[in-house]
Each structure stands twice: as structure tokens, then as C-alpha cells.
Amino acid sequence: MPGFYARSIESNDPAMMQSKSISNSKRPVVAIIGGGVSGAGVAYHLASANCREHPVIMVFEPRAELGRGLAYDTADPAHRINVPAAKMSLQPDDVGEFQAWIEARDAVADDPEANRSDGMLFPRRRLFGDYVASLLKPLLEDGTVRHCRATVTGVERHAGRWSILDDKGGVTEADIVAIATSHPPPAAPGRLAASLAAHPRFVADTTKPGALNVIRPHDRVLVIGNGLTAADVIASLAQRGHVGPMTAISRRGLRSRGHAPVPQPLFGDFGLDAAHSAGFLLARVRTAIEAAKAQGISWHGVIDQVRAQGHDLWQALPVAERRRLVRHLRPYWDVHRFRIAPQVEAVLDEAIATGRLNILAGSVADARIDGERILCTLQPRHQREPLEERYDAVVVTTGPAHGGILETQPWLAALAANGHLMLDPTGLGLACTERSEAIGSSGTADPSLLISGPLARGTFGELMGLPQVTEHAFFVATEIAGKLHAPATITHPA
């Protein structure tokens, strides 16, 4: 394939040895930055895609295994997948593969709580990482996919192609780059990060290993946020024997919902005469929920239908309406769409029933260290008078700060500064086209720079659930394969 080549300059670090064989390669090189489910999925599907000449597939991921990422690298036994195993798969056309993989290996033999009375499986989250890693293993062993166990520190344009710099001293040239990085860490609201940073039990980022180890069994805990991460934290603390009182505060006081007792059929059709305003779409959803209730169908069936048609519904909304939806309706969508596992729901229900967990609608107006405790000024919603409460620990679970993604990765910030990337106008990630091609500050798309996974949801809408992430990874792999099949289509904007 004329015009394609790659070179790699590495240090003597053993972790870099596996990429040395691309030094003199004349094959096209695809670099995937991020080896979680999204990045691993792109690599997996690209490995079997129809290309004129099969590319060198390089995945940059500092973790020991591909396919885990932030979500599935956890060893916490309280962390479980949030949807039944029968609906999770790396294969868009075989949604039952993960459950079949579990059954073939009797993989939940040591986890009896994974089996529910209705036959559904909600295993520990790490097990899904095991499954994805097992699919990538043969591709890694035969060299089809190459794992560069390093952290990317820079991505630069040189002589019409991309140079990827990493923290092991390596420089790898690639023809196509797919950005599939992890969610950014949560951002502590207001001045909390500065005012509480010195307190030993201020947990600003629960994704760090052992982050909750500082919390003692009888500590009085304030959890800031009330979504999936908050539910995980509460379940994890219960698993560790925490029995102290907890308050979970969020602006609207909405807690994550659970699954329907029995599977619900899809209800409604929102694709016909798609709404062009967030308000009209909300009205239609509410009407459908009432109609479903009259037929004995729970809201789950309606929300699942909205999710299934989510891409088309999102595309029908003007950017201004997308912003309105994100600003006003996203919290309601999140708690209904992203449901917690039954085991986690049971922990929350018991904590609320026994009075150990208080769900509060409001915000943290101020906080400061007061001796060994943390004095917090809480502003309940729709109330004038604030509350002053003392806590032994404060945990931030506000979810990924997608709007601040550029600040969390210096190489992303540099790409944006050089005009190759920009934030999506909805604040949900990075701007890209319907082909997942990154849009730079000039408004021009770059066909050699793609966005894979949740960072593309400003364009694609629903891209947080595993089925949608899997489908998008397959889509991005197909797009890359098409570019490699017809290399003349890969042009680099000036």
C-alpha cells in the first residue's frame, strides 16, 4: 500500500518491546488510545474487518489487560454489572455471548448472589472485563493486535501523519488515530476541592484504588451525588461493614432506579414525527408512560423504547434543544435509564428503610475542616434556611466531568490548542461528525482522527450503556476499515 508506513522509537523498557516489530512495517498503522471496552472493541472488530491490507493495530493502555478500562478493572465485590448478563456482549449481533461465556466456565460458582430468582445474572463487574480480555487474548498472542502498555503523553501531526508519544519514551507513527479514552474523573463542586483537600477522609475521586479505605465503620458520611457511582459507594461501604449514618445529596434528590420485577415489552414509538424540542419530547414520553401504565406496562418499557430510538431522537433535536435537554432533563433520564443491579438496590432500600441513609435534594453551599470533622453548609432545595451538619467523611460521586475532558488529558488539550479537537457544544465530550471523525476549531472534520465511545455522545446521543458502546465500537472499526480499503479517502486537513 503506497504511502503508508510506520516507525517506532522506544526506550529499552520491556513494556515497549512488543511494538518494535512495526519499525519497518509498510502496512498502515491504526493507533487506538485507550484500551477499555470501547478501545478494545474497536481493535477486536477491526481485526476481523474487510481491509485491502490488514493494518498494524496498536492499543495504548497502561493497564495489564485490554478490555477492562475504568469500569471493569474493579476488584470490589460490591460492584456489579447494571444490566443482566444476557444483554451484555462485545458482539452487537450476539447479545447473549457474555452469559454463554459465563455458563461455559461456570464463572459465577463462587458468587451465588449473582443468580436472581427470575433466572437473570448480575455478576461482579470484573467478570465482564475477564470476558473481554479473553476475546482479545488470541489476537494479542498472534500479533494481530498489539498492546502498548504505556500512557500517551502527546499526539502530534508530523509530515501528514500522527506521532504518538508515551511515558516510556516511545514515539509511534500512525496513519489513523482513534481516541477511546476513559471517562474523566469527577469534579468536586465549588470550592470543596481546595477547602477540604487536607482532610484525610475527603474522597474526591472514588475511582482510585482503595479510595474508600479511609472511611471507618461508624463514620458519618456525606455523599455528594446520587447516581450510579453513589450507589456503588454505598454498596461498597456496606460490604466493608460500615454502619454509620449517610446523607446522599444531589440537586434534585433523585436516586438510581432498579429493574422491573419482570421484563417489560417496549412501548411507544417516538421515531414517527420526531420531536424538535426537549419539552415536546418530554411531553410525549410522559403521555406514553401513562398509556403504558393503563396496559399494565411499567415505565421501564417506555424508557427502553426511547433508548432504542435514541440516536434518531437526538439527531432530530437542534443543538439548542440538546443543550436544554442536557441542562434540565439529563438527571431524570440518568436515574431511569441507568438502573442499578438488584443486589445494590437491596442495599440502598435497606439503608433507607432503617433510617441509615437520607436522600436530600439540595446542594453543598460551603464546607470547611473543623478539627477532625468536616462542617458542611447544605442548602436544601426549595428552602431558604440552610442546614449546618458535621461529617466524618465526604465522598464526591458527581460522575464524570465530560465537559472538562480537555483539562484531564494534556495531550487532548494540546490537540485542541493546535486546532485538531474541540468540545462538543452540548458539553458531553468531543465534537465529531456522524462518521465519528473529530471536528477541529475550524469546523473541519479530520478523517484520520476518530472519537470512539462516550466522548462521542454529543453527536450520537445515547452512548453510555454497554450495548451502545459496543455498537459504536463496531461502527468506528467499520469506518476505519472503509478508510483503509480505499486509502485515497484519508486526507489530512491543512
Side-chain angles (χ1 to χ4, degrees):
M1 182 175 292
F4 286 105
Y5 71 96
R7 65 180 175 86
S8 184
I9 306 171
E10 292 97 10
S11 68
N12 294 322
D13 194 300
M16 300 301 299
M17 296 300 291
Q18 54 192 315
S19 64
K20 285 185 178 294
S21 60
I22 73 169
S23 298
N24 299 312
S25 174
K26 297 298 181 181
R27 291 188 290 155
V29 176
V30 176
I32 301 168
I33 304 176
V37 171
S38 181
V42 173
Y44 176 80
H45 292 297
L46 182 58
S48 59
N50 180 25
C51 302
R52 177 180 296 183
E53 185 176 1
H54 208 281
V56 176
I57 304 173
M58 296 284 296
V59 184
F60 290 83
E61 169 56 55
R63 291 180 175 85
E65 288 185 303
L66 298 183
R68 294 196 180 279
L70 187 63
Y72 305 106
D73 196 33
T74 173
D76 192 323
H79 290 175
R80 295 187 176 274
I81 62 173
N82 295 319
V83 297
K87 295 183 178 181
M88 293 185 67
S89 172
L90 200 63
Q91 317 286 359
D93 58 351
D94 185 7
V95 296
E97 185 182 72
F98 177 43
Q99 177 147 341
W101 182 90
I102 292 173
E103 293 171 349
R105 293 160 179 77
D106 196 17
V108 294
D110 63 343
D111 181 21
E113 291 185 10
N115 293 278
R116 310 306 297 171
S117 59
D118 56 8
M120 292 192 294
L121 277 176
F122 288 86
R124 291 168 181 152
R125 201 176 298 163
R126 187 173 181 83
L127 193 61
F128 188 78
D130 293 344
Y131 152 74
V132 178
S134 74
L135 295 184
L136 270 293
K137 184 178 179 181
L139 300 177
L140 292 166
E141 290 176 342
D142 67 15
T144 303
V145 175
R146 309 184 188 193
H147 178 191
C148 182
R149 193 177 175 186
T151 298
V152 170
T153 58
V155 179
E156 302 171 355
R157 176 67 59 76
H158 291 298
R161 50 183 23 87
W162 297 102
S163 294
I164 296 96
L165 292 71
D166 62 64
D167 65 348
K168 301 296 178 64
V171 180
T172 303
E173 288 193 358
D175 302 286
I176 294 177
V177 172
I179 298 174
T181 57
S182 177
H183 301 299
R191 300 183 300 275
L192 287 186
S195 59
L196 301 183
H199 196 280
R201 285 179 294 283
F202 173 59
V203 182
D205 184 0
T206 61
T207 65
K208 293 180 178 179
L212 299 179
N213 291 347
V214 298
I215 298 178
R216 302 163 300 191
H218 294 278
D219 278 346
R220 190 180 186 197
V221 180
L222 175 66
V223 179
I224 303 175
N226 207 16
L228 292 179
T229 305
D232 278 345
V233 165
I234 293 167
S236 294
L237 289 176
Q239 180 88 25
R240 296 161 182 258
H242 180 262
V243 293
M246 293 179 290
T247 297
I249 187 170
S250 61
R251 284 193 296 172
R252 295 168 180 82
L254 303 171
R255 58 162 286 193
S256 293
R257 307 297 180 91
H259 296 265
V262 296
Q264 299 292 298
L266 297 179
F267 188 91
D269 188 351
F270 306 95
L272 296 174
D273 188 26
H276 295 286
S277 77
F280 184 52
L281 177 59
L282 174 62
R284 292 185 63 184
V285 171
R286 284 175 167 168
T287 298
I289 288 175
E290 289 299 318
K293 183 178 180 180
Q295 297 185 31
I297 299 172
S298 75
W299 57 263
H300 300 78
V302 177
I303 296 300
D304 288 346
Q305 180 69 304
V306 175
R307 183 195 66 190
Q309 298 178 331
H311 178 266
D312 292 339
L313 295 176
W314 186 255
Q315 293 304 310
L317 293 173
V319 171
E321 291 302 308
R322 294 182 189 181
R323 287 174 172 167
R324 287 186 63 205
L325 190 150
V326 170
R327 186 166 60 251
H328 299 294
L329 300 179
R330 177 182 165 191
Y332 298 94
W333 169 255
D334 284 353
V335 299
H336 288 87
R337 161 65 182 93
F338 302 109
R339 300 156 202 166
I340 53 179
Q343 300 93 328
V344 176
E345 184 180 23
V347 172
L348 266 65
D349 287 346
E350 180 182 6
I352 292 172
T354 58
R356 198 167 64 84
L357 173 61
N358 177 38
I359 304 293
L360 181 64
S363 60
V364 181
D366 196 12
R368 63 180 176 84
I369 297 174
D370 183 21
E372 292 188 359
R373 293 194 169 188
I374 298 172
L375 177 62
C376 294
T377 302
L378 309 181
Q379 183 59 62
R381 197 176 189 190
H382 305 311
Q383 292 184 26
R384 290 187 176 181
E385 294 299 320
L387 299 174
E388 284 202 347
E389 302 286 352
R390 283 178 171 80
Y391 298 95
D392 301 296
V394 172
V395 183
V396 178
T397 67
T398 50
H402 288 104
I405 181 62
L406 296 180
E407 287 73 30
T408 65
Q409 304 269 13
W411 60 273
L412 285 176
L415 280 174
N418 291 326
H420 302 300
L421 292 176
M422 67 177 183
L423 291 175
D424 182 85
T426 62
L428 293 178
L430 300 174
C432 64
T433 68
E434 276 284 297
R435 299 187 66 179
S436 235
E437 297 171 345
I439 299 174
S441 56
S442 67
T444 303
D446 188 334
S448 69
L449 184 62
L450 291 92
I451 313 299
S452 177
L455 289 180
R457 65 186 180 139
T459 296
F460 292 89
E462 175 57 42
L463 253 181
M464 291 290 281
L466 191 279
Q468 287 71 41
V469 169
T470 296
E471 291 169 3
H472 193 246
F474 178 80
F475 170 77
V476 170
T478 302
E479 286 291 311
I480 294 174
K483 297 173 188 297
L484 297 176
H485 195 73
T489 64
I490 305 178
T491 57
H492 299 263

